Amino acid sequence: MTQDEMKQAVAQEALKFVVKDTIIGVGTGSTANFFIDALATIKDDIIGTVASSVATADRLKDHGIKVFDLNDVEEISVYIDGADESDNGLNLIKGGGGALTREKIVAAVADQFVCIADESKLVDVMGDFPLPVEVIPMAANYVKNQIIKRIGGTPIIREDFVTDNGNLILDVEGLKITDPKAMETELNSIVGVVTNGLFANRGANVLLLGTPNGVRTI
Ligand code: 5RP
């Protein structure tokens, strides 16, 4: 089974978590894109969606799926999105696609967060994938220096990239994330950080993991 086939399998499995007649949150990335394509087959079962990025909103609309502004919505039953890494406690690194802030907001509103990923994303200790941090552009250098001093690792500005919110991304290489909740909180306390790609204080409730032998549910 290829990596894309594993992503497709978890995207299909995630349809089982879609709650009829509700609004659902939809993530960003290649696995989320497979989910959007699968969701199109049952689009009349839901009221609509909230998107975690402009790219996701565009893809949903192309399929004729209704997209609401989050401010017009009171409840999201479930948020379905991929991840760059997950540990066994379902703490995640997200933001490889740079959509971490909107993803974190939609995940915060949702009753349940179902993460969909192929098996390569499950690790014992997160940090091999560089941790994305969204920063206000004028604070980039200050935040970089604070991360080196307070957290460690090597923050590198993502070249030629601006987020949907008009900000920059620092990718922090060389971390060993043994206490994801504490690191998420500490990073977010640096002035100029919008948010970081650790989803630990609000991690996933369920991880659907694509393997060559089928979908494993954690
Ligand atoms: C985007 C994300 C994605 O969920 C993450 O990068 C995984 O992407 P993919 O499904 O393409 O592997 O956090 O900001």
Side-chain angles (χ1 to χ4, degrees), residues 7 28-31 81-84 94-100 103 121:
K7 288 179 181 184
T28 299
S30 57
T31 319
D81 195 4
D84 298 301
K94 292 186 45 54
L100 60 160
E103 292 173 341
K121 306 290 181 72

